[in-house]
Amino acid sequence: METYDLITRNAEEVVTDEEVRELAADPDGKRAYVGYEPSGVLHLGHLLTANKLIDLQEAGMEVVILLADVHAYLNGKGTFEEIRETAEQMKAQFVAYGLDEDNTEFVYGSAFQLDEEYTLDLHELELSTTLNRSQRAMAEIQGGETAKVSHVVYPLMQTLDIEYLDLDLAVGGLDQRKVHMLAREELPELGYDVRPALHTPIVADLTSGEGKMSSSDGVTISMEDSTDDLEEKVNSAFCPPTRDPEGDLENPVLELFEYHVFPRFDEIVVERPDEYGGDLTYDDYESLAADLESGELHPADAKGTLATYLDELIAPGREKLREIRN
Ligand SMILES: N[C@@H](Cc1ccc(O)cc1)C(=O)O
């Protein structure tokens, strides 16, 4: 695959395409990151951006995972102590998933975000950004109901991270786009460079095909799920055999193949008894999706196969979690 195609595969948007093409022309030693608010257990939302980091590593870039402990604290996720503990667990699961420690820089936010220089830059940003602007940037990330002062500081710190971690590319789910846009506007105000951003899609809820799948609302799959849990969740997933005529519902089963399975496996085998036509083998997402639509591939077989491959992907992280907890 061409470097540009690898860098941008499965991305929902890149800002700007020209800047990312420039990066793709000379990716060696360039630095990309995703920041995560630490939470104990990784779910598919985390793994989607992690898959992108794996692509970027393969493209020759250096990858940074920010364990955003201070951000989680600002977003009301618990005491600082609790957050630090979940960050360690999170790191262990990322490593088990395939972001090995030799090639991935894991950084705690608190390791640099409390420094004097950072703090003074933050205050300068506070001076140059309106409340309204910062709140809008935060709308899709914020937990809880009423915005606190901490929620408007949060995106400004996220902006500074891009400079302080010396990054060439900011990666996140589409819910991060407003923060990245803010960063593109504000970093030059402080005399820092504008960096490109890459956003991964937000996968639909498993059961309805609507909205956003997250751990807080709707059904998601996490590193905590047993093989049985996983099968049960996938089997009850929404999987219309043909595309929704209105086009506003996603097929979460297909999305999981596209964003989670195909990026990590060269070939997908759907095992079927001979009387049902025998095994099917796919080496790309499009051909599997086409077969599901044409009826050649039955939704029940697609689901069984999906569960098997997802299980393989989460098994090492599940093991790690068990070890940590015992
Ligand atoms: N905003 C991210 C976390 C994050 C924090 C700081 C960053 O620099 C980057 C990302 C989230 O919603 O989880």
Side-chain angles (χ1 to χ4, degrees), residues 156-216:
L156 304 182
M157 288 180 58
Q158 191 165 335
T159 293
L160 284 181
D161 293 344
I162 297 170
E163 169 66 25
Y164 277 75
L165 291 171
D166 194 19
L167 301 168
D168 302 287
L169 178 68
V171 177
L174 209 53
D175 52 346
Q176 309 296 313
R177 86 178 298 274
K178 285 185 177 159
V179 178
H180 290 151
M181 292 311 190
L182 177 78
R184 290 177 62 87
E185 259 171 59
E186 293 291 338
L187 284 175
E189 299 288 316
L190 298 185
Y192 299 138
D193 291 339
V194 173
R195 314 314 206 283
L198 183 153
H199 301 129
T200 56
I202 305 290
V203 169
D205 176 72
L206 260 187
T207 49
S208 68
E210 291 177 286
K212 158 178 175 174
M213 178 160 70
S214 77
S215 52
S216 50

Side-chain angles (χ1 to χ4, degrees), residues 33 35-37 66 68 71 141 154 158 161 176:
Y33 96 134
Y36 301 94
E37 288 184 18
L66 174 66
H71 281 87
I141 297 169
Y154 182 118
Q158 191 165 335
D161 293 344
Q176 309 296 313

Side-chain angles (χ1 to χ4, degrees), residues 11-26:
E12 187 79 19
E13 79 168 350
V14 292
V15 189
T16 64
D17 188 57
E18 200 188 327
E19 290 167 37
V20 171
R21 280 183 191 279
E22 215 172 287
L23 204 59
D26 183 20

Side-chain angles (χ1 to χ4, degrees), residues 138-158:
M138 193 56 189
E140 285 183 54
I141 297 169
Q142 188 186 322
E145 324 256 281
T146 316
K148 300 285 174 43
V149 174
S150 66
H151 290 118
V152 292
V153 174
Y154 182 118
L156 304 182
M157 288 180 58
Q158 191 165 335

